[in-house]
Amino acid sequence: MDNNMTFQDLGLSARALNAINKKGFEEPTSIQAMTIPVMLRDDTNIIAQAQTGTGKTAAFGLPLIEMIHTESKAVQALILVPTRELAIQVSEEINSLKGDKGLIIVPIYGGQSIDQQLRRLKKGVHIVVGTPGRVIDHLKRKTLKLDGIEHLILDEADEMLNMGFIEDMEEIMKHTNPEKRTLLFSATMPGRIKSLAKKYMDGYELLQVKKETLTSNLTEQIYFEVKASDKFEALCRIVDIEDDFYGLVFCRTKSDVDSVAAHLIDRGYDAEAIHGDISQVQRERTLDKFRKQRINLLIATDVAARGIDVSNLTHVINYSLPQDPESYVHRIGRTGRAGKEGTAITFITPSEYNRLMVIQRFAKTDIKKSQVPKVKDIIKAKKRKIYDDLNTLLENEIDTTYFNWAKNLLEEKSPTEMLAALLNYCFEEEVNPDTYGEIKEIGSKGRQLDQQGKARLFVALGKKDKMNPSKLIDLIMSRVSVNPKQIRDIMVMDNFSFINVPFEKAEEIVVSFKQKGGKPLITHARKK
Ligand code: AMP
C-alpha cells in the first residue's frame, strides 16, 4: 500500500465508490491501484503478480462489476480458481462489492449438487466463478456457454498449474470467445505461467508490486493463532499482562477500528480510534492525547496511522493481518525505535497461516509463534505490579493521617484480616479471573476447518534425482514423524515435486529440511 492513490483517483463509478465505502475499505491496495485503471482504460490483457490477501479479488472484481451489462442475461465473465473454497470466497467478495447493481454471480465447484448449479445457470448468470473440473462438466453437458464471454480471469494461476489443471484450463480456453480479454493473477511467475501467457494471451501488460524489505532488529516479532471471535479477548490479555502497555493496534477497516475501540472503552481501557472518517480536529486531539500518554491504546487503519510520529511504543498489534509484506514492515517499524525494544504481535486465524509465511519471507524476518497469556499469569502480573506500587509508596513518606487511620483500624482486627479486606475493597475487579473470557485453543481440529487443512509443499527433488512418490514419503519420514497417509497429492516432476501435508506438520517438515548454507530442500509451494 505504498501509493498515495485514493479510490476516487482510479476511475470507478459513484456506485462502486459507495459500495467500497460501505465495505470499509479506505484506500486501494497496491495491486488495486495498479490494476483498476488499466482494466477500465481499454481491453488490454493483464498479468498481475499478487498474493492472496493483497486485495486482488477486488482489484479485478471492482472493474469487472463496472463492465457487466445487466440488461443481458448471458454469461459475460468466467473466473477460474483452483479450489472450491476460493470459488466461494471470490464470489462472496465480488457480491459484497456490487452495491445496488443487479448482477448475478454464481460459484460452481465439485462437491456441490450439479442440479442446484444447473437451476442457477438456467436462470441467467453474469459472472461464473468455477473450479476447472466442474466448469468442464458443465461445458460437456452444454449447460454453460462461454463463447460470448468478454472476460476470462485466471485466479491463482500458479496454484492451478501446481494442482495439475493445465489440460483442463486449455480445454476451457478453447471454448471461450476468441475476442475476450484475459487476466491472469498469480503469486509467482514461473516459466510455465509465461508460456501459458504466450500461447493464450495475445500481448499483455505485466503488473507487479514493488517489494520493500526492512524490519527493525529491535522489534521482537511474534504471532498468535486465535479464532476471529477470540481476538478481542486476546488483545485485552496482552494489554493487561504488561506493566506499561503503550501501543498501536491496526485493523483492516474503519468499522473494525470503531468496534475494537468501542469495546475497549466499554471494558475500561484508555483507548481511542483514528481512521479516514474522523475529522482532522478530532484526529489531532486524539494524537495529542496519545503522544502525552493520556491514552495508551490507539486503534487505527493503515492510512490513518501514516505519518504518526510517536516514539517509544511498547507494542504494535496487528489485529488483522496486513494486506501485504510492505504494510507489515511499515506497521511494525513503529516500535523498536530509538534504541528501545518493542514487540510486534500479529493475530492470525488458522486459515491465514500461509499468508503470514509469505509476509515473513518477503519481509525477511522471523515471526515466532507464541501463546496468548493465561489468565492466572495475568493475575500474577497484576499482583506483582500492586506490590511494586506499594513499595514505591513506602519509599516516600506517607502522611501521618494514614498512619493514624491504620492504627485505628487495627484496634479491633488482625493486620492480615484488615489488609485482606482492604485489598478486596480496592482490587476486587482487577484480580478477578472471571472478568476474562475463555479463549479456545486451536489444535489440529481447528486447523482442519480451514481451507483444506493442508499445506502444499515444494520439494527441490524430482525424477532427475530418481525420486518417486514412495521415495519421497520415505525421505520425509526419515526426518519427521508423520503418518505416510497424511502425505497426499504427490506430484513428481522432472526437477521438483509437490506434496500436500497437514498444516500442523508443514512447518516441522520445512524446518527439518533446511540445509546449512544451501537452498532449503522443502519450502511452502506458494513462497517459491
Ligand atoms: P484478497 O487478496 O482478495 O483475498 O483480499 C483479502 C482481504 O482484504 C479481503 O478480506 C478483502 O475484503 C480485503 N480488502 C481488499 N481490498 C481492501 C482495501 N482496499 N482495504 C481494506 N481491505 C481490503
Side-chain angles (χ1 to χ4, degrees):
M1 297 215 277
D2 206 15
N3 56 73
N4 297 316
M5 289 262 196
T6 66
F7 276 113
Q8 280 81 1
D9 297 331
L10 304 181
L12 291 161
S13 66
R15 181 205 42 76
L17 294 177
N18 201 13
I20 291 166
N21 193 38
K22 275 215 181 110
K23 184 101 173 133
F25 296 173
E26 279 200 306
E27 63 156 7
T29 63
S30 304
I31 196 68
Q32 290 164 359
M34 284 181 170
T35 313
I36 296 173
V38 179
M39 261 182 88
L40 293 174
R41 187 190 63 207
D42 52 37
D43 57 3
T44 318
N45 294 327
I46 294 174
I47 294 191
Q49 183 162 12
Q51 318 278 340
T52 300
T54 52
K56 67 180 166 57
T57 316
F60 62 76
L62 285 165
L64 184 62
I65 295 169
E66 302 277 34
M67 292 184 278
I68 297 289
H69 323 284
T70 45
E71 59 289 354
S72 153
K73 284 249 183 293
V75 177
Q76 294 161 46
L78 171 69
I79 304 172
L80 269 188
V81 297
T83 63
R84 176 172 78 162
E85 288 72 20
L86 197 60
I88 298 171
Q89 213 174 298
V90 166
S91 64
E92 281 176 358
E93 179 81 354
I94 297 185
N95 233 340
S96 74
L97 290 167
K98 71 178 185 190
D100 56 9
K101 185 155 180 170
L103 68 81
I104 301 172
I105 169 161
V106 179
I108 59 171
Y109 46 83
Q112 195 196 32
S113 130
I114 201 148
D115 290 338
Q116 192 185 335
Q117 291 171 0
L118 282 176
R119 273 197 300 278
R120 297 184 75 179
L121 287 172
K122 249 195 201 143
K123 272 198 207 154
V125 166
H126 301 115
I127 305 176
V128 169
V129 188
T131 50
R134 190 49 73 100
V135 169
I136 296 228
D137 284 350
H138 281 286
L139 286 173
K140 282 191 185 142
R141 288 167 173 248
K142 303 218 184 322
T143 43
L144 176 65
K145 287 185 79 182
L146 299 174
D147 50 6
I149 60 166
E150 291 171 11
H151 315 271
L152 170 67
I153 296 164
L154 307 172
D155 193 12
E156 303 206 354
D158 52 351
E159 201 61 11
M160 287 200 274
L161 294 183
N162 287 348
M163 290 170 78
F165 283 139
I166 182 69
E167 283 162 17
D168 287 354
M169 288 159 78
E170 293 189 334
E171 176 67 25
I172 293 168
M173 284 194 258
K174 277 189 216 145
H175 285 79
T176 55
N177 170 10
E179 301 290 309
K180 68 186 180 293
R181 102 181 310 177
T182 305
L183 306 166
L184 183 153
F185 284 78
S186 186
T188 58
M189 286 295 154
R192 290 183 302 153
I193 293 279
K194 293 196 188 108
S195 44
L196 187 76
K198 229 189 207 157
K199 205 159 155 195
Y200 292 99
M201 293 165 77
D202 185 17
Y204 56 82
E205 197 156 320
L206 179 65
L207 306 176
Q208 271 171 315
V209 178
K210 235 183 29 240
K211 303 255 151 26
E212 195 181 311
T213 50
L214 258 179
T215 47
S216 155
N217 294 332
L218 280 165
T219 305
E220 186 196 7
Q221 299 169 55
I222 54 181
Y223 75 91
F224 296 139
E225 202 176 291
V226 284
K227 286 177 31 182
S229 53
D230 286 335
K231 282 187 179 179
F232 182 72
E233 183 63 34
L235 174 62
C236 294
R237 291 192 189 185
I238 292 162
V239 177
D240 287 356
I241 203 158
E242 293 297 325
D243 270 1
D244 293 301
F245 182 97
Y246 180 41
L248 199 52
V249 180
F250 284 97
C251 297
R252 183 169 287 160
T253 61
K254 293 181 268 190
S255 42
D256 287 347
V257 165
D258 280 336
S259 129
V260 171
H263 276 95
L264 284 169
I265 293 163
D266 275 353
R267 234 164 115 156
Y269 293 96
D270 296 321
E272 276 188 29
I274 53 167
H275 56 63
D277 284 353
I278 286 178
S279 73
Q280 189 58 24
V281 177
Q282 180 59 36
R283 178 188 154 91
E284 285 308 319
R285 225 181 272 148
T286 299
L287 284 180
D288 190 50
K289 275 200 220 163
F290 189 57
R291 257 184 232 114
K292 293 181 175 146
Q293 301 199 27
R294 277 192 275 130
I295 51 170
N296 64 336
L297 274 153
L298 184 64
I299 326 301
T301 52
D302 287 282
V303 190
R306 199 164 290 160
I308 298 182
D309 191 21
V310 181
S311 48
N312 64 23
L313 291 181
T314 61
H315 286 75
V316 165
I317 312 253
N318 294 316
Y319 196 85
S320 25
L321 202 57
Q323 301 283 338
D324 44 41
E326 289 80 6
S327 308
Y328 179 84
V329 174
H330 281 157
R331 284 181 179 187
I332 75 156
R334 297 174 181 284
T335 181
R337 276 189 184 174
K340 292 196 177 175
E341 281 185 30
T343 308
I345 300 178
T346 303
F347 292 169
I348 59 161
T349 59
S351 62
E352 288 174 328
Y353 179 76
N354 272 352
R355 279 182 54 202
L356 183 76
M357 291 302 117
V358 169
I359 289 178
Q360 168 163 289
R361 188 178 142 93
F362 280 114
K364 294 203 176 66
T365 181
D366 189 18
I367 312 173
K368 292 199 179 67
K369 184 175 169 110
S370 187
Q371 301 299 329
V372 178
K374 299 238 176 328
V375 174
K376 69 173 192 330
D377 295 328
I378 300 171
I379 307 268
K380 214 195 255 171
K382 283 184 174 177
K383 285 183 178 164
R384 196 185 45 237
K385 169 97 168 40
I386 292 169
Y387 179 76
D388 289 346
D389 287 352
L390 290 176
N391 270 329
T392 317
L393 260 182
L394 286 168
E395 276 165 21
N396 301 314
E397 216 167 302
I398 296 179
D399 195 291
T400 47
T401 7
Y402 292 101
F403 274 101
N404 294 335
W405 193 1
K407 272 187 205 148
N408 270 337
L409 290 172
L410 290 176
E411 270 167 19
E412 287 172 24
K413 301 278 184 249
S414 77
T416 314
E417 253 180 327
M418 192 40 92
L419 186 58
L422 191 65
L423 289 173
N424 184 310
Y425 183 78
C426 297
F427 303 111
E428 182 177 10
E429 182 117 351
E430 205 156 341
V431 298
N432 179 1
D434 298 338
T435 53
Y436 291 94
E438 200 196 340
I439 292 189
K440 293 233 164 50
E441 288 269 330
I442 296 184
S444 50
K445 267 209 172 123
R447 285 201 160 207
Q448 268 153 21
L449 290 175
D450 67 29
Q451 301 243 331
Q452 298 164 315
K454 287 181 270 169
R456 189 109 176 117
L457 299 183
F458 169 83
V459 185
L461 293 170
K463 287 182 193 152
K464 284 200 180 133
D465 309 286
K466 304 209 172 3
M467 266 298 145
N468 60 33
S470 77
K471 276 195 187 161
L472 242 165
I473 293 178
D474 288 346
L475 173 72
I476 289 168
M477 288 174 64
S478 70
R479 297 210 195 163
V480 178
S481 88
V482 54
N483 179 342
K485 285 197 187 129
Q486 291 183 315
I487 306 175
R488 309 275 297 270
D489 300 319
I490 302 173
M491 270 173 55
V492 181
M493 323 292 276
D494 284 342
N495 296 308
F496 49 83
S497 311
F498 289 102
I499 52 170
N500 273 359
V501 294
F503 264 126
E504 60 273 18
K505 284 283 168 200
E507 203 51 18
E508 205 188 328
I509 294 173
V510 169
V511 171
S512 308
F513 283 89
K514 271 197 179 139
Q515 312 185 97
K516 266 207 183 126
K519 272 194 169 174
L521 213 51
I522 302 188
T523 53
H524 285 272
R526 281 167 187 273
K527 302 193 302 172
K528 268 183 299 152

